[in-house]
Amino acid sequence: MGLSSAMQWWEEWQLRILVLASCFIQYVLFFSFWVRRVPLLRRLRVLVWVAYIAGGAVAIYALAALFNRRKQTCDGESSALEILWAPVLLIHLGGQPLISAYSLEDNDLWKRHTITLVSQVTVALYDFCKWWSGEKILLTAAILLFLLGILKFANKPFSLRSSSFNSLQSFNTRFILPQQQEHGFEHSLEEYVQEAKKCVLEREACSQGWKIESNYMFADLSASYSFRITQLPYFVKLDHMHAYNALHACVADTFNGLYCKIGSIETYLNLRSFVLFSFLALASLVLFTKSHKDGYNEKDITVTYILFGCTTALEFFFPCLVISSFIPYCVSVNQKYNVMSNDIVSQYNLVSFCVRKKKPTLMMKLATFNFLRQFINKHWYIEHVPRAFQVTGVVRQHVNHGWKNYIYGAASYRRFNDLQGQWALRRHHQLGWSLKKPFDQSILIWHIATDLCFYHPNTSPQCRQEEGTQCSRDISNYMAYLLLIRPES
């Protein structure tokens, strides 16, 4: 096949390939939720990033190709079905409910997505109104798809704006202030310490389920002492297992609110809108099935069936997923999955990275560009260990010990919160200089020191397996991971 034949084939199939590729990317984005949450699938996250970037680009390029194609060819019936693909591309631009943002910075780009919404909806409607020549049944199907596409696309910038840092702070402020007004007065620090200490000393272990009401602590927003004291009595009464599950439920809710549209559909009205989306897609598929297709291109008919069928199935996946969360068997499976995924602690060991504990892979050898080599070289040494439950237990014991034996008033409460390792250096005051460094430098110094002590010749293999020793190293590696790999955290 010569160059001219290849170009002719591409001109014929370009739009079909683009719309089918856009549909495939939407399926990748829908199932990317589990790739992002399951540690065993972390190597596939680069595909999620590519799909997230390519999803909007391919759909916009397909709309532009549709506009140019209709402008160049006005041959009527042979390509009339192509104009039905415009609202489907708008649906694809709306994205999937299980991924609204790939990183925190994406939430601040909601204004850009609003401009994209206006421009692409205008182009799609212009294309449709100028070149539509089909029957009334197909026209009805197209109107339903346009309604679905515009609603879904409009929901995207709204979800991003709701998950932005400023909106999160504003929402949490509106949530906490009524809690303060409910009490009629504001606790002082001394009053809070005394009541909190009483709660800790008088607590009785229980396993009653409890969930943190607000994610204010993840927005750098300091809650009032009155609000804290309303939450503390319920939390301290939980045994370690149920307290651990409550914290992870809060973290999962925060993840959904920041990176998914789930946070914006928890209200009854928004949940109903997602059910409406499903039936709009189904109605358009039924109308297209009943319409007359004589004279249309067979290949376009096949592509349209694929687009409508896959879009309808994708719109029904999410409501079915929500409904399945109330089925006992599915709830049990989901709990087992949460136990597996929530117990993972990311690890990054600077010493292992420097001595190249792992051999270079083919991917690292092929990374000829310096920035790509550094990226792969850095992320290849990330490990994940199932130690979150143990690490959380050690931290909780430390906090309980502080409340029982160290905190007696406001001054001791502040000193306890400012501890960075002073207790560990009670017998080694000459190392106090390491705590006077900037926080990031102190983390690196203590990280390297922890690793050297862990492998010191005087440390026996049996001692390395002790709970406290292993947890110390896990926490050290996790702090290095946050500093070097996730500094935005």
Side-chain angles (χ1 to χ4, degrees):
M1 183 172 62
L3 180 61
S4 59
S5 300
M7 292 297 296
Q8 183 178 359
W9 178 87
W10 174 247
E11 288 294 330
E12 179 184 358
W13 281 90
Q14 176 188 15
L15 187 57
R16 298 167 186 163
I17 293 175
L18 287 174
V19 294
L20 292 176
S22 180
C23 185
F24 173 77
I25 291 174
Q26 295 306 308
Y27 272 82
V28 174
L29 290 176
F30 182 86
F31 293 103
S32 66
F33 178 79
W34 289 273
V35 176
R36 302 175 77 186
R37 295 289 296 272
V38 179
L40 296 177
L41 302 177
R42 64 185 182 276
R43 302 295 183 190
L44 300 178
R45 289 176 187 172
V46 64
L47 299 179
V48 177
W49 177 75
V50 172
Y52 181 81
I53 298 298
V58 171
I60 292 175
Y61 182 51
L63 280 173
L66 176 62
F67 177 79
N68 294 329
R69 183 179 179 87
R70 299 301 301 177
K71 187 176 180 180
Q72 296 172 2
T73 61
C74 297
D75 54 354
E77 299 295 333
S78 62
S79 57
L81 286 180
E82 293 178 352
I83 202 65
L84 285 175
W85 303 345
V88 177
L89 293 173
L90 289 181
I91 297 173
H92 294 171
L93 284 172
Q96 297 304 313
L98 295 179
I99 176 171
S100 60
Y102 186 83
S103 61
L104 291 176
E105 292 78 7
D106 295 329
N107 292 322
D108 295 325
L109 301 178
W110 64 270
K111 295 181 181 179
R112 180 182 301 178
H113 287 279
T114 303
I115 297 175
T116 304
L117 164 66
V118 175
S119 61
Q120 296 306 315
V121 169
T122 302
V123 170
L125 289 175
Y126 175 81
D127 286 350
F128 184 81
C129 295
K130 185 174 180 61
W131 287 296
W132 173 253
S133 59
E135 59 176 338
K136 291 183 178 180
I137 297 180
L138 287 178
L139 177 61
T140 305
I143 292 174
L144 293 178
L145 284 177
F146 265 111
L147 180 61
L148 171 59
I150 293 173
L151 290 175
K152 285 203 65 176
F153 200 177
N155 187 50
K156 184 173 184 177
F158 173 77
S159 299
L160 293 175
R161 182 180 181 276
S162 301
S163 301
S164 63
F165 184 78
N166 292 333
S167 297
L168 193 62
Q169 277 193 326
S170 176
F171 173 80
N172 287 325
T173 301
R174 293 196 303 270
F175 177 83
I176 294 174
L177 287 178
Q179 298 285 337
Q180 299 178 12
Q181 297 172 357
E182 198 175 296
H183 292 82
F185 67 94
E186 172 64 28
H187 282 77
S188 65
L189 177 58
E190 185 65 34
E191 292 172 337
Y192 166 74
V193 170
Q194 297 304 324
E195 290 195 32
K197 187 175 181 65
K198 186 186 301 183
C199 290
V200 174
L201 294 177
E202 297 178 356
R203 73 183 182 91
E204 295 180 2
C206 72
S207 60
Q208 184 179 359
W210 178 77
K211 187 177 181 180
I212 298 177
E213 295 182 7
S214 173
N215 294 328
Y216 60 85
M217 67 281 292
F218 297 101
D220 288 343
L221 185 64
S222 179
S224 66
Y225 296 118
S226 299
F227 181 77
R228 297 184 195 183
I229 205 64
T230 62
Q231 304 287 297
L232 186 62
Y234 301 99
F235 183 72
V236 297
K237 290 182 179 179
L238 296 177
D239 56 35
H240 178 51
M241 174 61 74
H242 290 84
Y244 174 80
N245 292 334
L247 288 175
H248 271 290
C250 183
V251 173
D253 289 344
T254 302
F255 178 88
N256 295 335
L258 293 176
Y259 299 104
C260 307
K261 295 180 183 178
I262 299 177
S264 65
I265 65 172
E266 289 181 347
T267 63
Y268 179 63
L269 178 61
N270 286 323
L271 185 58
R272 285 172 54 188
S273 67
F274 271 79
V275 176
L276 175 64
F277 294 165
S278 306
F279 285 100
L280 286 176
L282 179 61
S284 64
L285 175 61
V286 173
L287 289 173
F288 177 73
T289 303
K290 293 184 176 181
S291 64
H292 297 288
K293 305 173 186 64
D294 298 335
Y296 293 118
N297 190 305
E298 292 293 335
K299 297 173 183 176
D300 288 341
I301 293 175
T302 303
V303 172
T304 307
Y305 265 120
I306 295 174
L307 283 178
F308 280 35
C310 292
T311 301
T312 302
L314 202 56
E315 293 301 323
F316 269 96
F317 277 167
F318 183 71
C320 292
L321 189 64
V322 174
I323 294 174
S324 66
S325 63
F326 298 99
I327 300 176
Y329 174 76
C330 296
V331 171
S332 176
V333 173
N334 187 54
Q335 290 176 347
K336 293 180 180 178
Y337 155 75
N338 288 333
V339 171
M340 177 187 67
S341 60
N342 291 341
D343 198 39
I344 296 300
V345 180
S346 298
Q347 304 278 283
Y348 188 80
N349 191 276
L350 191 61
V351 176
S352 297
F353 170 76
C354 293
V355 300
R356 298 298 191 273
K357 184 177 179 180
K358 294 182 180 180
K359 295 182 179 180
T361 62
L362 178 61
M363 183 182 298
M364 295 168 64
K365 293 179 180 179
L366 294 177
T368 55
F369 297 103
N370 186 52
F371 75 94
L372 186 59
R373 185 188 299 113
Q374 291 179 353
F375 177 83
I376 296 177
N377 203 22
K378 180 173 67 173
H379 285 76
W380 186 254
Y381 288 88
I382 297 176
E383 296 181 354
H384 300 270
V385 295
R387 300 277 301 173
F389 183 79
Q390 290 82 356
V391 170
T392 307
V394 171
V395 174
R396 197 173 186 220
Q397 289 176 6
H398 171 72
V399 174
N400 287 334
H401 176 75
W403 277 110
K404 293 177 180 179
N405 304 305
Y406 186 82
I407 300 175
Y408 296 99
S412 57
Y413 175 80
R414 290 194 179 95
R415 287 196 301 269
F416 181 79
N417 288 331
D418 290 336
L419 290 175
Q420 297 183 13
Q422 285 83 353
W423 286 2
L425 297 181
R426 282 177 294 187
R427 299 180 181 179
H428 307 280
H429 298 286
Q430 68 276 15
L431 300 177
W433 59 268
S434 62
L435 302 177
K436 299 178 182 180
K437 298 284 185 179
F439 186 63
D440 55 345
Q441 295 184 22
S442 295
I443 291 177
L444 292 177
I445 293 172
W446 278 66
H447 170 70
I448 296 174
T450 301
D451 214 49
L452 293 177
C453 292
F454 185 79
Y455 289 106
H456 194 274
N458 295 336
T459 304
S460 63
Q462 292 79 12
C463 184
R464 294 178 193 169
Q465 301 301 322
E466 288 186 356
E467 192 71 22
T469 305
Q470 187 62 48
C471 284
S472 298
R473 187 166 186 262
D474 293 337
I475 294 174
S476 174
N477 290 342
Y478 180 64
M479 293 295 292
Y481 168 81
L482 293 178
L483 177 65
L484 301 173
I485 310 299
R486 294 286 184 264
E488 70 278 3
S489 301

